[in-house]
Amino acid sequence: MIVAAKSSTDQGSDEKAWLRILAKYRTPHAGRSVFELTITAIPFAAFWTLTCLAVHLGFWSGLILIVPAAGFLLRLFMIQHDCGHGSFFARRRFDDWTGRVLGVLTLTPNDYWRGAHATHHASAGNLDERGVGDITTLTVTEYYGRSRWGRIGYRLYRHPLVMFGIGPAWLFLFRQRLPMGMMRDGLLPWISTMATNVAVIPF
């Protein structure tokens, strides 16, 4: 079977068609943003409160409520992510302060994380710019250049139990309590992390 390749003109037309289709999704609608934030934050607060009450009253089975609470917390982090990109409200002041408030709940200092995440996007795929806002990744040559124990350590680091178990605990409970990787980038990363740390204390 022979399939004729599309000409550059046809490809250009397809791209423009997709751009027209997607154009309406590029600009945030403030009302929809508030709605999405509301239907995420309120259920999260409700599940969190019910879990605390259940445990306080001795109903340990109430811990099952942690599962939906975690789902809504993840969604709050997704909103914080969009705020970090300036795309949730498309107004930097609103995005920044929404992200800062959500950062207290997600244990993620917003201004520090936003800078590290921007560096991650700017350097993704560039082996010479690894180390900030990403997961350590070695090339094959780098891997075999390590000692036997170095290779074992790397394989353990990349193991799913570490990536999805120990890793997140380390990241949210310890690593993000200081502006790792940005300690010499001025006051903002420090203010962001320290302010978030102080705000987390009552919880």
Side-chain angles (χ1 to χ4, degrees):
M1 181 178 179
I2 300 176
V3 179
K6 283 189 176 182
S7 67
S8 59
T9 302
D10 291 336
Q11 291 177 347
S13 299
D14 288 346
E15 290 176 4
K16 289 178 181 178
W18 274 110
L19 288 175
R20 285 194 296 272
I21 293 170
L22 298 175
K24 63 181 179 180
Y25 299 106
R26 294 180 60 185
T27 304
H29 186 280
R32 179 62 184 269
S33 297
V34 171
F35 174 75
E36 295 295 339
L37 182 58
T38 301
I39 65 171
T40 306
I42 291 178
F44 170 72
F47 281 117
W48 187 9
T49 302
L50 289 172
T51 301
C52 292
L53 287 173
V55 174
H56 180 71
L57 296 174
F59 298 108
W60 291 97
S61 59
L63 287 176
I64 193 66
L65 296 173
I66 289 175
V67 176
F72 282 106
L73 182 61
L74 176 61
R75 197 164 193 269
L76 286 175
F77 180 76
M78 293 166 66
I79 292 174
Q80 183 183 355
H81 170 273
D82 289 350
C83 288
H85 282 287
S87 61
F88 192 67
F89 288 107
R91 296 185 65 177
R92 176 53 70 185
R93 186 176 180 183
F94 289 168
D95 282 330
D96 283 349
W97 281 104
T98 300
R100 287 166 186 154
V101 172
L102 295 180
V104 176
L105 299 174
T106 63
L107 301 179
T108 304
N110 188 68
D111 296 287
Y112 155 64
W113 173 83
R114 188 183 68 198
H117 191 62
T119 300
H120 162 68
H121 273 286
S123 60
N126 186 342
L127 296 178
D128 295 326
E129 298 293 336
R130 289 170 289 175
V132 178
D134 55 15
I135 296 171
T136 301
T137 303
L138 300 179
T139 64
V140 173
T141 301
E142 289 170 337
Y143 174 77
Y144 283 111
R146 289 192 166 197
S147 66
R148 181 171 179 270
W149 285 109
R151 294 196 296 271
I152 291 174
Y154 180 71
R155 290 177 71 87
L156 289 173
Y157 166 78
R158 302 286 298 193
H159 192 279
L161 290 178
V162 175
M163 286 281 106
F164 301 108
I166 299 172
W170 162 254
L171 175 67
F172 292 105
L173 297 179
F174 299 102
R175 194 171 191 275
Q176 291 190 156
R177 308 285 57 87
L178 289 172
M180 298 293 186
M182 300 178 68
M183 289 186 169
R184 298 181 180 180
D185 290 356
L187 287 176
L188 185 59
W190 285 97
I191 293 172
S192 177
T193 51
M194 295 302 108
T196 302
N197 292 343
V198 171
V200 165
I201 291 174
F203 298 101

